[in-house]
C-alpha cells in the first residue's frame, strides 16, 4: 500500500469549508420551476438522495482498533457483560489453523483468548490440518456461536459459553456442503438461521444439528425493477445483495442483510459492503445499497450506545483503503430516505479527495473549469442550475479568486442571444463551459456545449474582444464550431488547438474560426480513448497529460466518476495506457497555480464522492514525467 502516490491535502494551505447542503430541485431564472427535461438525471448518482458518503465538517478517518496480527474476514460481537469478541481468517503468521479468538473490554486493548477448542462430529481439538476460512462469531443469551466451513467445505456451527471463552465448543455435523463465508443469525424468538455465500439462508433445527428447511437465495424484490430495470454494467443489483460474506442483523422490525462485493470502483479492487432490508429474514428485500465503501468482508453488530455498526477490514488489494488486514469500526446512520450508510462522522477512503470540502456551495455546479489569467486572478466557470440552464434562461457565469480560497461571483459573461443557430422548439441545455487565457492571442476564450433534446450536442467557441475575462465575448464563427460536446481550448508552442468529445483534436487557424489541419483522435497505445468525455490537456516539462472522465464500477448505482489520464511526448500521441489520476475527479481541468503547484477541479458526480454538484479543488502531484498522483491522508 505504501506504493500508492496519494498524500495529505493539508500540505496545501487551502481552507476547508462546511459540507455542502442538500441539493434542492433546480429552478430557472426568477424562481420558475424548470421544464421536465432532466428526467434522465432523476436518479443520477450525483443527487444527494443517492449519497453513500456525506461526511460532516469534523469527519475523521476510520482508525484501526485491532492490529495484533493480520486477519481477514473479521467478525465481531458484543458479549453479555459489555465486552467484545473478535475472530477472523488468520493470515501469514502462525497459527493458521482453527478459529482464533480475541476479547476486549473497550474495543481498544485486546487479549488473545487463543484457538477455540472445537470438537465433536469428526473434528478433533487442535487439529492443525483444520484450516477454517472466514469464521464468524455470534452471541445469543449466554451462548457463544462460531460458524465456519471445515477443511472439506462443510458449513458447521460450534456452540460454547459466552462466559467461558476458553472453554470447549461442540461442533455440529455438516449442515451444508460446498459452503463458504458461513454466519449465524439468531432472532429474538430464538430461531437460528444459517447464512452463507453471498446470500443463501436456511433455518436450523432447534438443536442446530441440521437444517429445518431447504436453502433459498436472498435477493432484491424483482418487482422493484419493473419500471426502472438496471442496464449495462448495473445488472448485478438485480440478482444479489453481494457475492460473499452474507450476514444478518435485526434493526427494530426490519432484517438487515449485508454482503460484500468487489465492484471495480476507483479502478481498483474495492470490496464494499452492501445492505438490503426486509420485514422477515426471507424478504421481500429492498434494492441493495452501498453502505460502507472499502469495508471488505465484515459483519454488522451493535456498537457503542447501541448504534448499528459495520466492521471495516479491507484487503490489501484495495488501493484506496485506509489500512488493510487490520480491523476498524464504522458507525452507520439512516439517510433521509431510510437507507443505511456510513455515518457522516467517518471517512473510509484514503485519498485527499475524501478529506476535502467544496469551495462554493451557494449554487450547484458541474464540469468546473479554472484558468489563471494574466492579471493574477483565477477564473472559474461551470455547468449551473442543476444539469444545465435551459434556453433562454441563464448563461455562463464567472467567478474569480486571488488565492483559490475565496471566490467572488462576477456575474454572467454570456447569454443565449446571437448564437447563429435556430433551436426551434427543442429543449436546449447549456453544458460544460471552459474558460482559457491564451497568451499568444492576449485574450480569453470561452467554449461551451449545448445539448439539444432529441438532436444531440454541439460546441461553440467565443473570444473576449476586450482581452478581459469578463468579456464581452463574440462568436468566432457564425454558428457552432463542432458537433459534439465538452470543448477544450489548448495552447501549445505552435498555436491554439481545440479538443472535444472523447478525444477529437484539431489545430485552429489564425482567425480561430476553423481548423487548418485535419481532425485527429487522441487514443492510448491500445487504441482506446482516455476517458469517454470531459477531456483536457496540460503540458509539464515537455510531457502532455491528457485527462478524461470515466465511470468505473457499476455505472448508475455505485460506480465512481474518476479522472483518468495518459501521457505522451507528442501532442497527437499515442498516449500511455490510461490510469487513475484523481478519484471522483471526473470532468474537470488541471492547472498550475502561481506557486507552481498543480490542481484539478472537481464537482462530485457519484455516491461515494465527499460532496456532489459543487465546485472544489483537488491537489495533484505531477512529480515525474509519467504520472499524476493525488495526495493521501496521513502524509
Amino acid at each position: 500500500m505504501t506504493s500508492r502516490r496519494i498524500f495529505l491535502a493539508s500540505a496545501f494551505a487551502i481552507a476547508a469549508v462546511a459540507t455542502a447542503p442538500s441539493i434542492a430541485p433546480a429552478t430557472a431564472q426568477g424562481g420558475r420551476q424548470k421544464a421536465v427535461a432532466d428526467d434522465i438525471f432523476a436518479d443520477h448518482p450525483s443527487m444527494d438522495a443517492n449519497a453513500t458518503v456525506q461526511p460532516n465538517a469534523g469527519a475523521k478517518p476510520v482508525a484501526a482498533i485491532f492490529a495484533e496480527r493480520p486477519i481477514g474476514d473479521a467478525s465481531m460481537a458484543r458479549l453479555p457483560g459489555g465486552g467484545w469478541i473478535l475472530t477472523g481468517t488468520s493470515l501469514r503468521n502462525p497459527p493458521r489453523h482453527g478459529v482464533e479468538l480475541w476479547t476486549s473490554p473497550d474495543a481498544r486493548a485486546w487479549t488473545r483468548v487463543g484457538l477455540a477448542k472445537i470438537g465433536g462430529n469428526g473434528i478433533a481439538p487442535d487439529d492443525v490440518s483444520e484450516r477454517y476460512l472466514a469464521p464468524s462469531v455470534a452471541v445469543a443469551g449466554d451462548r457463544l456461536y462460531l460458524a465456519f466451513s471445515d477443511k472439506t467445505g462443510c458449513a458447521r456451527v460450534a456452540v460454547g459459553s459466552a462466559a467461558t471463552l476458553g472453554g470447549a465448543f461442540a461442533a455440529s455435523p455438516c449442515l451444508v456442503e460446498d459452503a463458504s463465508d458461513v454466519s449465524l443469525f439468531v432472532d429474538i424468538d430464538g430461531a437460528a438461521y444459517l447464512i452463507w455465500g453471498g446470500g443463501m439462508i436456511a433455518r436450523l433445527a432447534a438443536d442446530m444439528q441440521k437444517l429445518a428447511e431447504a436453502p433459498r437465495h436472498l435477493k432484491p424484490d424483482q418487482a422493484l425493477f419493473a419500471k426502472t430495470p438496471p442496464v449495462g454494467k448495473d445488472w448485478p443489483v438485480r440478482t444479489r445483495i453481494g457475492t460473499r460474506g452474507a450476514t444478518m442483523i435485526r434493526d427494530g422490525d426490519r432484517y438487515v442483510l449485508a454482503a460484500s462485493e468487489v465492484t471495480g470502483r476507483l479502478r481498483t479492487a474495492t470490496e464494499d459492503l452492501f445492505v438490503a432490508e426486509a420485514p422477515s429474514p426471507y424478504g421481500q428485500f429492498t434494492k441493495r445499497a452501498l453502505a460502507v465503501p472499502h469495508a471488505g468482508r465484515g459483519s454488522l453488530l451493535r456498537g457503542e450506545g447501541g448504534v448499528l455498526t459495520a466492521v471495516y477490514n479491507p484487503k490489501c488489494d484495495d488501493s484506496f483503503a485506509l489500512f488493510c488486514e487490520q480491523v476498524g469500526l464504522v458507525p452507520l446512520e439512516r439517510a433521509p430516505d431510510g437507507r443505511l450508510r456510513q455515518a457522516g462522522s467517518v471517512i473510509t477512503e484514503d485519498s485527499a479527495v475524501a478529506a476535502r470540502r467544496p469551495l462554493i456551495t451557494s449554487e450547484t455546479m458541474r464540469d468546473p473549469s479554472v484558468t489563471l489569467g494574466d492579471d493574477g486572478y483565477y477564473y472559474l466557470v461551470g455547468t449551473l442550475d442543476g444539469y444545465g440552464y435551459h434556453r433562454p434562461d441563464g448563461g455562463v457565469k464567472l467567478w474569480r479568486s486571488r488565492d483559490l480560497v475565496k471566490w467572488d461571483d462576477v456575474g454572467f459573461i454570456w447569454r443565449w442571444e446571437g448564437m447563429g443557430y435556430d433551436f426551434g422548439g427543442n429543449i436546449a441545455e447549456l453544458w460544460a463551459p471552459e474558460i482559457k487565457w491564451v497568451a499568444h492571442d492576449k485574450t480569453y476564450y470561452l467554449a461551451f456545449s449545448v445539448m439539444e433534446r432529441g438532436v444531440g450536442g454541439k460546441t461553440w467557441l467565443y473570444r473576449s474582444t476586450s482581452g478581459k475575462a469578463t468579456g464581452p465575448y463574440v462568436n468566432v464563427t457564425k454558428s457552432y464550431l463542432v458537433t459534439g460536446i465538452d470543448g477544450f481550448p489548448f495552447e501549445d508552442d505552435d498555436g491554439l488547438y481545440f479538443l472535444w468529445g472523447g478525444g477529437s483534436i484539431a489545430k485552429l487557424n489564425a482567425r480561430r474560426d476553423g481548423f487548418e489541419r485535419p481532425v485527429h483522435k487522441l487514443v492510448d497505445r491500445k487504441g482506446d480513448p482516455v476517458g469517454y468525455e470531459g477531456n483536457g490537456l496540460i503540458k509539464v516539462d515537455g510531457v502532455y497529460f491528457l485527462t478524461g472522465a470515466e465511470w468505473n464500477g457499476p455505472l448508475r448505482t455505485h460506480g465512481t466518476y474518476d479522472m483518468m489520464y495518459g501521457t505522451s511526448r507528442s501532442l497527437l500521441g499515442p498516449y500511455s495506457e490510461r490510469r487513475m489520476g484523481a478519484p471522483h475527479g471526473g470532468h474537470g481541468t488541471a492547472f498550475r497555480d502561481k506557486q507552481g503547484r498543480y490542481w484539478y477541479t472537481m464537482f462530485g458526480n457519484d455516491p461515494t464522492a465527499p460532496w456532489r454538484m459543487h465546485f472544489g479543488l483537488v491537489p495533484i502531484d505531477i512529480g515525474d514525467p509519467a504520472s499524476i498522483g493525488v495526495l493521501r491522508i496521513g502524509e
Side-chain angles (χ1 to χ4, degrees):
M1 295 182 67
T2 57
S3 64
R4 283 176 297 153
R5 304 182 63 251
I6 306 179
F7 307 94
L8 178 65
S10 62
F12 297 89
I14 297 296
V17 300
T19 301
S22 297
I23 298 173
T27 57
Q29 295 285 97
R32 178 174 57 83
Q33 188 73 30
K34 290 177 66 172
V36 183
D38 290 334
D39 51 339
I40 60 173
F41 301 111
D43 194 34
H44 196 278
S46 64
M47 299 296 288
D48 269 359
N50 297 316
T52 293
V53 175
Q54 193 97 27
N56 57 41
K60 301 294 184 184
V62 175
I65 62 168
F66 176 87
E68 275 70 3
R69 67 161 296 163
I71 66 170
D73 313 311
S75 176
M76 290 180 64
R78 297 301 298 269
L79 293 168
W84 307 72
I85 185 78
L86 167 71
T87 190
T89 302
S90 298
L91 303 173
R92 293 188 300 282
N93 302 336
R96 298 180 65 189
H97 66 285
V99 177
E100 196 164 10
L101 301 174
W102 290 267
T103 186
S104 173
D106 56 7
R108 294 178 180 85
W110 293 88
T111 301
R112 181 176 183 268
V113 176
L115 295 175
K117 297 180 175 61
I118 302 173
N121 283 302
I123 295 180
D126 299 322
D127 182 351
V128 296
S129 70
E130 286 287 2
R131 171 77 165 138
Y132 302 139
L133 299 179
S136 66
V137 61
V139 175
D142 60 355
R143 300 283 185 90
L144 178 63
Y145 299 97
L146 302 176
F148 57 92
S149 293
D150 66 19
K151 61 186 176 183
T152 69
C154 277
R156 300 199 188 216
V157 173
V159 185
S161 170
T164 311
L165 300 181
F169 288 81
S172 72
C174 179
L175 299 171
V176 177
E177 295 181 343
D178 299 322
S180 62
D181 301 335
V182 183
S183 67
L184 182 73
F185 167 63
V186 182
D187 206 350
I188 57 176
D189 62 359
Y193 300 83
L194 190 73
I195 302 171
W196 66 98
M200 297 298 296
I201 189 171
R203 186 168 53 84
L204 292 172
D207 60 4
M208 295 192 182
Q209 301 298 294
K210 62 181 179 180
L211 301 185
E213 61 186 7
R216 64 186 80 184
H217 180 242
L218 303 179
K219 61 182 180 180
D221 180 4
Q222 297 302 286
L224 298 173
F225 302 99
K227 292 184 178 180
T228 56
V231 296
K233 292 188 289 184
D234 290 349
W235 65 266
V237 305
R238 185 172 192 156
T239 61
R240 58 181 180 260
I241 309 304
T243 57
R244 64 187 298 264
T247 186
M248 187 174 285
I249 194 171
R250 186 163 177 166
D251 188 36
D253 61 353
R254 304 286 289 174
Y255 293 83
V256 181
L257 177 67
S260 66
E261 183 168 337
V262 177
T263 62
R265 287 186 319 105
L266 300 166
R267 209 172 179 83
T268 189
T270 51
E271 186 172 12
D272 303 316
L273 190 68
F274 294 86
V275 298
E277 299 182 64
S280 83
Y282 303 121
Q284 299 283 349
F285 279 93
T286 61
K287 293 180 181 180
R288 78 176 190 175
L290 174 54
V292 185
H294 310 281
R297 188 274 190 191
S299 58
L300 298 178
L301 69 155
R302 291 289 173 185
E304 295 292 350
V307 174
L308 198 59
T309 300
V311 173
Y312 183 87
N313 180 217
K315 293 181 179 178
C316 294
D317 294 339
D318 186 342
S319 301
F320 289 95
L322 286 161
F323 47 78
C324 67
E325 298 178 354
Q326 301 174 19
V327 181
L329 292 175
V330 177
L332 304 181
E333 67 181 14
R334 293 282 179 181
D337 65 355
R339 288 177 300 115
L340 283 169
R341 66 183 181 190
Q342 72 178 52
S345 60
V346 296
I347 296 171
T348 55
E349 178 181 304
D350 190 4
S351 76
V353 177
R356 295 189 67 78
R357 296 289 181 268
L359 295 168
I360 295 176
T361 59
S362 56
E363 55 187 291
T364 64
M365 186 182 298
R366 299 170 62 85
D367 318 311
S369 169
V370 168
T371 191
L372 175 58
D374 65 320
D375 56 1
Y377 277 101
Y378 301 95
Y379 291 99
L380 162 71
V381 296
T383 303
L384 304 177
D385 197 41
Y387 296 91
Y389 275 112
H390 293 176
R391 186 181 64 91
D393 297 315
V396 177
K397 186 184 285 190
L398 183 71
W399 282 261
R400 72 176 187 176
S401 173
R402 282 285 190 187
D403 56 10
L404 296 179
V405 178
K406 183 179 182 295
W407 292 86
D408 297 319
D409 185 341
V410 178
F412 287 99
I413 58 172
W414 179 89
R415 293 186 183 271
W416 291 90
E417 295 81 9
M419 294 184 68
Y421 181 80
D422 183 10
F423 293 96
N426 294 329
I427 294 172
E429 294 179 302
L430 179 61
W431 287 2
E434 290 278 351
I435 189 168
K436 186 70 65 176
W437 163 254
V438 176
H440 183 272
D441 294 0
K442 295 182 174 57
T443 193
Y444 294 83
Y445 283 85
L446 183 67
F448 57 85
S449 302
V450 176
M451 179 59 71
E452 191 177 0
R453 183 57 61 91
V455 177
K458 297 176 179 65
T459 297
W460 278 255
L461 181 63
Y462 276 66
R463 175 172 51 217
S464 172
T465 59
S466 67
K468 298 180 180 179
T470 51
Y473 286 86
V474 297
N475 194 345
V476 300
T477 70
K478 295 181 179 180
S479 185
Y480 58 89
L481 182 66
V482 295
T483 299
I485 62 172
D486 298 344
F488 185 90
F490 173 70
E491 184 179 19
D492 205 1
D493 297 336
D494 65 340
L496 186 63
Y497 289 79
F498 197 73
L499 175 67
W500 75 97
S504 296
I505 191 170
K507 186 179 180 183
L508 288 161
N509 59 27
R511 297 186 305 275
R512 311 310 193 202
D513 61 356
F515 301 122
E516 67 177 37
R517 297 177 188 172
V519 177
H520 183 85
K521 191 76 170 179
L522 301 184
V523 295
D524 68 12
R525 294 191 183 109
K526 291 185 174 181
D528 296 325
V530 180
Y532 80 102
E533 68 176 6
N535 285 125
L537 278 164
I538 187 170
K539 189 177 181 180
V540 180
D541 296 331
V543 177
Y544 296 91
F545 289 79
L546 174 63
T547 63
E550 189 64 72
W551 282 96
N552 292 305
L555 176 60
R556 284 284 183 181
T557 50
H558 316 297
T560 48
Y561 186 66
D562 306 312
M563 181 265 272
M564 311 297 293
Y565 76 97
T567 61
S568 175
R569 287 281 179 180
S570 168
L571 172 61
L572 300 184
Y575 283 78
S576 63
E577 187 175 347
R578 65 183 183 181
R579 290 171 282 178
M580 169 71 73
H584 315 287
H587 183 167
T589 56
F591 67 95
R592 184 179 180 181
D593 70 12
K594 290 179 283 190
Q595 288 73 42
R597 305 170 300 191
Y598 292 95
W599 300 87
Y600 194 76
T601 65
M602 172 182 154
F603 68 94
N605 200 35
D606 63 68
T608 53
W611 69 83
R612 277 148 295 278
M613 295 176 66
H614 289 290
F615 165 66
L617 288 174
V618 177
I620 58 176
D621 174 27
I622 303 181
D624 60 61
S627 66
I628 292 177
V630 180
L631 305 181
R632 184 174 70 190
I633 293 174
E635 290 286 334

